[in-house]
Amino acid sequence: MRQSFFYGTVILIIAGGVTKVLGFANRIVLSRLIGAEGMGLYQMVVPLLYFLITVTTFGLPVAIAKQVAETEAAQDSRQSRRFLLLALAVTGGISLILCSLLLALSGRISQLLFADARADIVLLAAVPVIPIASISMVLRGYFQGKHNMTPTAVSQLVEQVVRMVLVVVMTLAFLPLGIQYATAGAVGSIIFGEAAGLLYILWQYRRSSRNTAARVWEQPLLAVFSQSRKSLRQLFSVSLPVTLSRIVGSIAYVLEPMIVPFALVMSGVSTTVATSLYGQFAGMAVPLLLFPTFLTYSLSVSLVPAVAEASYQKNAPLVHRRIYQAMRITLVIGAPCTVLLYIFAEPLSGLLYNNPDVGLLVKEMAPFSVFLFFQAPLAAALQGLDYAQVVFRNTLIGAVVKTAAMFIFTVQPQFGIHGAVIALNINITLVTLLHLASLVKVIGFTVNVLELCKIGAAMVAMGYAGSYMAAHWFADAPVIRLLLLCSAASTLLYLVLLVAMRILGKQDVRRIPWIGEQLAIFFPRR
């Protein structure tokens, strides 16, 4: 079932929002079950697990979405099947090698990477996740290339629901054996969640293509490879730069907890204080900043095949329209998130972390979240246009600048942990502007400045209204009530202003899945 760009994006945004909330709730439940000690073991293994999945998928979900979109535009379904088989074969082969190495060398890997030897049990429990998640992600990319986002959205929801149901059962079942086994049980819930999502997406594939699903496996594997060298080169031309970009980001992420505490100690604070300050920055402030980015992930997933198809058809106006549509959706949805993060940073941090000091860090980063929201769609547009290597170059530049800036600023006593905030803001702004400059250079991309100014004005009005209500109307109210009422009222004002300035209109609302036609009667035409 082919879906429009807007329809597919909205489905992914809704599913992404629900998944994000369920994931947040799942983490709260898990932390109460296994405590700080178990969460420490969990956090040692899970980041490595997702890094290995990134290596195993080798950027193929993005690559197959792009290539399948092009072959579907050319009405060559046989080539689409070939791309799918090649991607599954490469992913399966890498998974097999990587999992074999992990099973054989888990003890040594744990000694080398983890401070706690008990993490070895958790790592072994996590090994089956790698092939299941990798194959699932490739199949999602295939459906995305066909402009059908429903399998991706529903499989994400199925995965998260199964994880939530099983995490309590599996954690408590293994808890009598020790905290490391309880944590391994929690990781086991990830296996069953990923497996459920994979089974759903395989069912969708069989249902949508009963004949072709069987034919995918008919040709001998070696024959497929010998006939498909060109197809492999096409896949790798996208997947290799995507993988390198993610590896660069992962390396910078690994270096950060080494550099920042060291620089803080050099600036004159004790090791304990340095660790605490870094925890406030990386463990509390940054996750809060990143929470709304599921919106831009949804856009980027839809944008790669949409732009690739339009580019393959040499339809330049459609390429521009789809990219601008993505930018417009990003700003319309991301703007209120930025405003709310800025004006309610301190009460929100006090409520979530019982640490209002974190709010100051969030407030310093919040204005730059607009650039963060734009980053993923711009990267997706470049990847869809076959400029994935440009995204890698820009990401590498940003990572080098951020790593250097984190040390240079943080080591200075007048900045301290705020130096890390400055470095992160520089990185977000620099990479986003480099992506935008690259897009302008490649296709001469332009934006409607007047429309952006109108949205900016609505943001300012929303921020002023929210601040005024918090300071005068609900100053003595409980924090939860203050946040809910002020956020709802200021967001409503923002939407009213967008409608009044004809940024949102009947034709925009009508595209919303399921309820668009009913809501559209309340909106004027743009």
Side-chain angles (χ1 to χ4, degrees):
M1 180 184 68
R2 183 184 172 90
Q3 297 162 344
S4 70
F5 169 63
F6 189 92
Y7 187 96
T9 299
V10 173
I11 286 176
L12 286 176
I13 287 174
I14 294 170
V18 175
T19 303
K20 196 82 171 179
V21 172
L22 291 177
F24 195 68
N26 184 59
R27 184 166 285 261
I28 292 172
V29 171
L30 183 60
S31 65
R32 291 179 182 272
L33 289 173
I34 60 177
E37 186 181 3
M39 287 302 292
L41 291 171
Y42 186 85
Q43 280 302 120
M44 285 181 190
V45 172
V46 170
L48 175 63
L49 173 65
Y50 288 122
F51 173 74
L52 293 175
I53 291 172
T54 298
V55 173
T56 305
T57 53
F58 202 66
L60 287 168
V62 175
I64 196 172
K66 177 185 180 299
Q67 299 299 342
V68 168
E70 292 179 356
T71 54
E72 290 296 308
Q75 297 183 336
D76 187 355
S77 58
R78 184 168 185 168
Q79 182 65 10
S80 295
R81 294 194 300 273
R82 178 173 288 124
F83 278 129
L84 176 60
L85 178 56
L86 288 170
L88 289 173
V90 171
T91 300
I94 298 174
S95 296
L96 181 63
I97 295 170
L98 194 59
C99 291
S100 299
L101 289 172
L102 283 174
L103 290 172
L105 304 173
S106 64
R108 293 184 181 180
I109 292 171
S110 298
Q111 289 176 2
L112 182 65
L113 297 180
F114 307 133
D116 194 323
R118 294 176 298 174
D120 181 39
I121 300 295
V122 185
L123 179 61
L124 285 172
V127 169
V129 177
I130 297 171
I132 298 171
S134 301
I135 291 170
S136 181
M137 289 171 72
V138 169
L139 286 166
R140 288 174 187 176
Y142 174 77
F143 279 106
Q144 290 155 17
K146 285 179 164 289
H147 300 279
N148 183 2
M149 304 301 162
T150 302
T152 297
V154 177
S155 65
Q156 287 175 345
L157 289 172
V158 169
E159 173 195 326
Q160 196 62 250
V161 169
V162 171
R163 281 178 65 178
M164 281 203 70
V165 170
L166 291 181
V167 69
V168 176
V169 176
M170 296 188 68
T171 303
L172 292 177
F174 288 98
L175 191 58
L177 299 176
I179 194 67
Q180 67 270 37
Y181 290 97
T183 307
V187 172
S189 70
I190 301 177
I191 298 173
F192 286 100
E194 291 285 354
L198 176 59
L199 287 174
Y200 170 80
I201 209 164
L202 284 171
W203 174 74
Q204 278 285 0
Y205 182 80
R206 290 287 296 183
R207 196 180 71 138
S208 64
S209 184
R210 290 187 180 275
N211 294 325
T212 59
R215 270 186 276 166
V216 167
W217 307 102
E218 283 177 1
Q219 288 182 282
L221 187 59
L222 292 176
V224 170
F225 271 107
S226 64
Q227 296 168 9
S228 305
R229 291 177 183 174
K230 182 180 177 183
S231 300
L232 272 174
R233 284 196 298 270
Q234 289 174 310
L235 282 173
F236 288 161
S237 68
V238 178
S239 69
L240 183 58
V242 170
T243 302
L244 290 174
S245 297
R246 291 175 178 172
I247 289 175
V248 164
S250 298
I251 291 172
Y253 183 66
V254 169
L255 289 175
E256 184 183 297
M258 303 176 188
I259 292 171
V260 175
F262 178 70
L264 286 169
V265 170
M266 288 185 65
S267 72
V269 303
S270 68
T271 303
T272 305
V273 173
T275 303
S276 177
L277 288 172
Y278 181 70
Q280 290 178 12
F281 167 71
M284 299 179 183
V286 172
L288 199 54
L289 182 77
L290 296 179
F291 185 82
T293 54
F294 70 86
L295 301 167
T296 57
Y297 167 77
S298 303
L299 277 167
S300 61
V301 166
S302 299
L303 194 58
V304 171
V307 169
E309 180 189 56
S311 177
Y312 179 82
Q313 295 170 338
K314 301 190 185 306
N315 191 339
L318 184 58
V319 170
H320 282 257
R321 185 163 71 250
R322 283 180 171 169
I323 296 174
Y324 185 71
Q325 191 177 24
M327 299 279 284
R328 188 168 169 271
I329 294 170
T330 298
L331 187 56
V332 167
I333 299 177
C337 296
T338 297
V339 172
L340 293 176
L341 273 177
Y342 181 77
I343 61 176
F344 298 124
E346 290 165 315
L348 189 59
S349 299
L351 177 67
L352 293 177
Y353 304 122
N354 196 27
N355 192 337
D357 292 341
V358 176
L360 182 58
L361 302 179
V362 175
K363 199 162 192 171
E364 291 172 354
M365 292 188 287
F368 296 88
S369 63
V370 173
F371 292 98
L372 181 63
F373 295 148
F374 281 130
Q375 197 171 112
L378 288 171
L382 288 166
Q383 289 163 352
L385 292 167
D386 212 12
Y387 285 92
Q389 73 278 8
V390 174
V391 177
F392 165 63
R393 182 199 65 197
N394 295 343
T395 304
L396 179 61
I397 293 170
V400 171
V401 170
K402 183 185 84 166
T403 304
M406 274 193 167
F407 181 79
I408 291 169
F409 285 106
T410 308
V411 78
Q412 300 182 44
Q414 64 267 36
F415 291 121
I417 193 62
H418 301 281
V421 173
I422 294 170
L424 182 61
N425 289 341
I426 290 171
N427 170 260
I428 291 169
T429 307
L430 176 63
V431 174
T432 302
L433 291 179
L434 285 173
H435 286 348
L436 181 59
S438 300
L439 203 57
V440 171
K441 182 179 178 181
V442 169
I443 61 169
F445 180 69
T446 58
V447 296
N448 187 331
V449 177
L450 178 61
E451 196 166 67
L452 296 182
C453 290
K454 288 180 179 179
I455 297 173
M459 288 176 66
V460 172
M462 174 187 175
Y464 177 79
S467 300
Y468 184 87
M469 285 186 288
H472 296 89
W473 295 358
F474 303 103
D476 299 323
V479 175
I480 295 180
R481 185 182 174 192
L482 179 147
L483 289 172
L484 289 176
L485 292 177
C486 293
S487 298
S490 57
T491 302
L492 180 61
L493 173 64
Y494 170 78
L495 292 173
V496 169
L497 289 173
L498 291 187
V499 173
M501 292 187 288
R502 298 191 179 277
I503 300 297
L504 285 180
K506 189 182 292 290
Q507 60 272 46
D508 298 310
V509 178
R510 188 176 284 128
R511 295 172 181 164
I512 298 174
W514 310 303
I515 60 172
E517 289 293 339
Q518 290 75 21
L519 288 177
I521 60 175
F522 300 105
F523 288 79
R525 290 193 173 275
R526 255 196 317 129

